[in-house]
């Protein structure tokens, strides 16, 4: 399972790659640092939803640094 699908693998300050809602069809990855975790459940099949420091919101597809 993709580590970005488990909330326990995600933390504030983590460097991640997310897919924004508008980029879901193309799958374009946006890089950033997690500011806020928006998904409340422990897992999500499409990735944990987060807000990045720049305000972007999307689901995690890649984790670049461990918390």
């Amino acid at each position: 399972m993709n580590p970005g699908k488990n909330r326990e693998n995600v933390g504030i300050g983590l460097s991640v790659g997310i897919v924004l809602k508008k980029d879901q069809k193309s799958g374009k990855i946006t890089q950033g640092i997690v500011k806020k975790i928006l998904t409340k459940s422990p897992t999500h099949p499409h990735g944990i939803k987060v807000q990045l420091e720049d305000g972007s919101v999307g689901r995690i597809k890649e984790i670049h640094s461990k918390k």
Side-chain angles (χ1 to χ4, degrees), residues 3-4 6 13 15-17 23 28-29 32-33 36 38 41-42 53 55-58 61 63-64:
N6 290 316
S15 175
V16 297
D23 295 330
K28 179 183 169 216
I29 303 285
I33 305 296
K36 188 174 183 182
L38 303 176
S41 64
E53 289 181 342
S56 302
V57 173
K61 299 299 177 193
I63 294 180
H64 301 295

Side-chain angles (χ1 to χ4, degrees), residues 35-59:
K35 175 181 176 183
K36 188 174 183 182
I37 302 169
L38 303 176
T39 299
K40 299 295 182 208
S41 64
T43 63
H44 191 283
H46 302 295
I48 300 298
K49 187 181 279 188
V50 297
Q51 180 179 31
L52 302 182
E53 289 181 342
D54 69 0
S56 302
V57 173
R59 297 199 180 272

Side-chain angles (χ1 to χ4, degrees), residues 1-7 9-10 17 19 29 42-48 59-63 66:
M1 184 184 267
N2 171 351
K5 293 182 179 184
N6 290 316
R7 198 170 187 277
N9 295 332
V10 179
V19 173
I29 303 285
T43 63
H44 191 283
H46 302 295
I48 300 298
R59 297 199 180 272
I60 296 179
K61 299 299 177 193
E62 305 170 343
I63 294 180
K66 299 286 182 191

